[in-house]
Amino acid sequence: MQLPALHIGELTARVPIVQGGMGIGVSLSGLAGAVAREGGVGVISAAQVGFNEPDFMTNTVEANKRALAKQLKKAREIAGDGIIGVNIMWRGQHYEDYARCAVENGANIIFSGAGLPSDLPDCVEGTSTKIAPIIGSPKAARVILHLWERHHHRTADMIVIEGPKAGGHLGYTREQVKMHESDGYEKEIEEILDVVKEFEEKFNKKIPVVFGGGIFDKKDIEHYLSLGLSGVQMATRFVATKECDASDAFKNMYVKAKEGDVTIVQSPVHMPGRALLNPFVKAFRQHRIPVTNCFHCLKTCDPATTPYCISMALIRAVRGDVDHGLVFSGANSWKIDKITTVHDLIQELTQDPVDETIPTDASDKTIPVEQVKKQA
Ligand SMILES: Cc1cc2nc3c(=O)[nH]c(=O)nc-3n(C[C@H](O)[C@H](O)[C@H](O)COP(=O)(O)O)c2cc1C
């Protein structure tokens, strides 16, 4: 099956794959630019994006804004006219500053999860930047679309459903994650599509809905398209690419991971998260890891009581100190066995496998290519 293009208003991604934003520093211009160049939607994570700026520790917000502008410029150079988005966590401090910075520097779309981004429409008003909330339930879809209708007289340009197999912070309790793992999640998807349909009719506008969490191959993509979705969001598989902006040590954690290494952790964001089991996770499960420097990154974190500093944990991991940092991953990272390129991954996800059989004679029987080679 040829995968259909993903239309987001006047924007068209010829490949219906959104690369999920990955903080801190996992999806920057290298990955986002490459995905957009290959026809998908590339997404830069704005989470502490300035962590490599010299004044990051002392002048965090300015460092982040400066770095976000640089990353958008670089991604655009790589992507040409491909679609570049920015992912901004609603629970982060200075949300509006970063959203406005993304708009001013040419982001095509802003994706926002970890809470309901009620004021996002104000940040893009009068510009062509699209807005896409990331939600995990029919209720969340209804609440945000109602809020935007009532207060901003507009609706979403796209919706991302993040399912329970996603990596990073999850919009579910541990119990809900377990429940969805056993009961499946398709009924929720159907209900969310019904909610979105209501708003499509009200606003006389197509709102594409994409689903993310645990998607691994083309078969998975085709399955979700068959449910009425317009595309998928994938993150974990893009980590294991040369272009991914994380260190090799971070990527190799995915290659080495076994099924039992994928675990649910508590995060200072007050949401569970999915990550790989490592000495750091074992340590903070035993005792609190005191915060030495607070970046004031989260609206909800108290540095005096938090089990660990999430910014420091993610920065250490992305730089390669994978024993002392938090390595977020989706539920299927253990299936990854090699590092590839974005080009090859997109080919694998969009092309049907070559038919490995060739016809023999008029009886129209086929024999496997391997057998032909051996007979020759
Ligand atoms: C390393 C990593 C970091 C992530 N960081 C973020 C983030 O900063 N913001 C966000 O909204 N989602 C984040 N996510 C979730 C992804 O964007 C995506 O929706 C999800 O992981 C999709 O599932 P998959 O990884 O199984 O493909 C992260 C996921 C991973 C694996």
Side-chain angles (χ1 to χ4, degrees), residues 273-318:
R274 185 172 276 109
L276 292 176
L277 190 63
N278 65 354
F280 179 73
V281 171
K282 288 180 190 159
F284 76 72
R285 282 178 174 165
Q286 298 292 320
H287 56 84
R288 213 184 136 247
I289 299 173
V291 175
T292 46
N293 182 78
C294 178
F295 300 96
H296 307 283
C297 59
L298 294 171
K299 292 170 187 162
T300 49
C301 177
D302 175 2
T305 57
T306 185
Y308 57 92
C309 169
I310 182 90
S311 283
M312 226 39 246
L314 293 174
I315 290 170
R316 283 203 194 101
V318 78

Side-chain angles (χ1 to χ4, degrees), residues 20-23 26 45 47 87 89 113 134 162 165-169 212-215 233-237 239 250 254 328-332:
M22 290 180 277
V26 179
S45 164
N87 179 302
M89 262 183 32
I134 303 173
E162 211 173 55
K165 290 189 175 174
H169 291 113
I215 294 171
Q233 170 155 302
M234 297 177 66
T236 291
R237 288 226 56 195
V239 170
F250 189 100
Y254 279 41
F328 275 150
S329 103
N332 282 334

